[in-house]
Amino acid sequence: MLEELQHDGKLLAMILRTNFKKDGIEFFTPPEFSQQLAYMNRPKDYLIQPHVHNPVARNVEYTKEVLFIKSGKVRIDFFSDEQEYVESRILEQGDVVLLAYGGHGFCMLEDTEMIEVKQGPYAGEGDKTRFNAKPFEPRVR
């Protein structure tokens, strides 16, 4: 299952649930994203030809990050670019989320291990704007 969370016509996140399955390869993100999310399912003995990646100039304006939930359970709270609460989702072991635009915060509902992949190098505190969210009651779908 793939879920796209949108707000005011802008993609906030793509959630790929652990039970997603299909044959072949599928790219979920649009080609203009600086971070791509794809799924591959190949049979035993399938070969991907050895290759190297060529230098390609890319312009990265916004950091996109991908989180793999290795274990546990986490609630992700999504916010608009104006820092207003939108809604929440719960992710569990095996789920993957690509965070595209808007803001986000996390509440660990269990001891949780996550693996994060995003563009680098990390710019420290210049990489993000932290904000205090107005009180909200999580709306989880």
Side-chain angles (χ1 to χ4, degrees):
M1 171 179 159
L2 176 75
E3 178 183 1
E4 291 187 359
L5 193 135
Q6 301 219 11
H7 178 72
D8 288 342
K10 187 178 269 192
L11 181 67
L12 298 182
M14 300 177 104
I15 299 171
L16 183 63
R17 299 292 181 177
T18 191
N19 62 353
F20 182 90
K21 188 163 184 148
K22 71 177 286 189
D23 290 334
I25 184 169
E26 183 170 342
F27 281 85
F28 303 112
T29 46
E32 64 272 11
F33 271 28
S34 59
Q35 187 82 3
Q36 298 295 299
L37 180 64
Y39 170 87
M40 268 190 260
N41 180 7
R42 301 295 193 198
K44 182 181 184 313
D45 295 326
Y46 182 93
L47 295 176
I48 297 175
Q49 186 175 5
H51 60 280
V52 296
H53 291 265
N54 299 326
V56 176
R58 293 181 169 94
N59 182 27
V60 177
E61 292 183 33
Y62 292 95
T63 301
K64 309 236 185 312
E65 54 191 318
V66 175
L67 299 173
F68 301 87
I69 310 306
K70 184 175 176 186
S71 67
K73 186 186 252 187
V74 59
R75 186 186 79 227
I76 303 179
D77 302 318
F78 295 97
F79 298 84
S80 68
D81 288 332
E82 295 75 36
Q83 304 175 2
E84 297 293 327
Y85 174 72
V86 175
E87 54 188 295
S88 302
R89 294 292 184 278
I90 293 175
L91 275 65
E92 300 184 29
Q93 180 177 338
D95 290 341
V96 177
V97 61
L98 179 136
L99 301 165
Y101 294 102
H104 44 267
F106 305 91
C107 178
M108 303 307 150
L109 303 176
E110 297 177 356
D111 292 346
T112 301
E113 294 177 280
M114 296 187 288
I115 297 171
E116 178 183 77
V117 178
K118 63 182 175 184
Q119 298 96 341
Y122 178 58
E125 285 304 307
D127 198 55
K128 61 186 80 171
T129 299
R130 298 180 193 275
F131 60 93
N132 293 317
K134 295 176 186 169
F136 63 90
E137 184 68 31
R139 294 186 306 276
V140 180
R141 281 195 330 162

